[in-house]
Amino acid sequence: MILSVRDLEKTFGSIVAARDITLAVPAQQTVGLIGANGAGKTTFFNVITGYLRPTKGTIQLEHLDITGRPSREITRLGISRSFQVAQIFPSLTVFENMCAAAAAASGSDGGLAHMLAPLQAPATLADAGAAIELFRIAPYRHARASTLPQGVRKLLDIAMAVVGSPRVLLL
C-alpha cells in the first residue's frame, strides 16, 4: 500500500472532526472520498499532509510512519495536495508560482538563501514550464495570479501540487 491510515481521529476539544478512519490505498489507484459538508474530509486531508496533528491513529507512506510529521517533510516524502480554495501567491506570475512550487518540491532544506537559489535552477525552470503546458495555462504564463479567472487559479493550484511528481496526490 502506498498510503495506510489506521484508526485516525482528530478532535478539537470536545468536537470530534474525524473518527475511526481506516483506509488502505494501493499504488497507482484513484480513490474517491465522499461525504456531506462537515463530515471531516478536509480535516482528514489536513492530518495526512501534516497541517494538523492527529489526536490518535497512524499514517504510513508505504512502510514509513509519517504520523504527526511537519507538512514540509511530508511533501518532500511525496504527498502533495491541492486546496479547496486555491493556495497561490497572488502577487507572483503564473510562472513564478510554478517555479516556487517546483523549487519547494525539489527538497531544498535549510536557510533562505538555499531555498531561493533553486528558483532559477535549470531543472526548476523546465519543470515549471512543463507543468504550465500540461495544464494548458501557458496563455497566462506572465499574468499575476491575482488577475486570473477562478478556474485558472484552480488549475494553477493543482499544477503546483503536481509539479514535484508526488507519489500521492490529494485533490
Side-chain angles (χ1 to χ4, degrees):
M1 295 297 143
I2 187 94
L3 182 66
S4 298
V5 178
R6 288 197 180 96
D7 302 320
L8 195 70
E9 183 172 297
K10 178 61 185 169
T11 59
F12 299 95
S14 62
I15 306 294
V16 178
R19 175 182 286 149
D20 298 327
I21 300 173
T22 297
L23 176 72
V25 180
Q28 304 297 315
Q29 294 293 311
T30 301
V31 176
L33 182 62
I34 300 169
N37 289 345
K41 300 177 300 292
T42 299
T43 299
F44 177 64
F45 274 27
N46 286 340
V47 171
I48 289 173
T49 56
Y51 289 91
L52 294 173
R53 293 184 65 97
T55 306
K56 73 174 205 177
T58 60
I59 307 161
Q60 288 190 327
L61 179 62
E62 290 182 325
H63 298 292
L64 179 65
D65 187 349
I66 62 168
T67 309
R69 292 189 188 207
S71 61
R72 289 183 186 174
E73 182 179 346
I74 290 170
T75 299
R76 274 191 235 90
L77 290 170
I79 297 179
S80 189
R81 70 173 295 183
S82 70
F83 292 83
Q84 284 180 291
V85 175
Q87 299 295 301
I88 57 177
F89 300 103
S91 64
L92 299 181
T93 66
V94 167
F95 186 69
E96 290 165 340
N97 268 277
M98 290 305 307
C99 286
S106 72
S108 298
D109 212 5
L112 184 59
H114 286 240
M115 199 165 108
L116 294 177
L119 288 174
Q120 295 299 317
T124 299
L125 299 174
D127 289 349
I132 286 171
E133 292 299 325
L134 177 67
F135 282 85
R136 297 184 177 142
I137 54 176
Y140 300 96
R141 180 184 184 101
H142 300 293
R144 296 251 171 253
S146 61
T147 67
L148 298 174
Q150 192 61 35
V152 177
R153 284 183 191 212
K154 188 61 183 169
L155 285 173
L156 174 60
D157 181 54
I158 295 170
M160 290 171 69
V162 169
V163 72
S165 300
R167 294 163 51 205
V168 175
L169 177 63
L170 303 172
L171 302 172

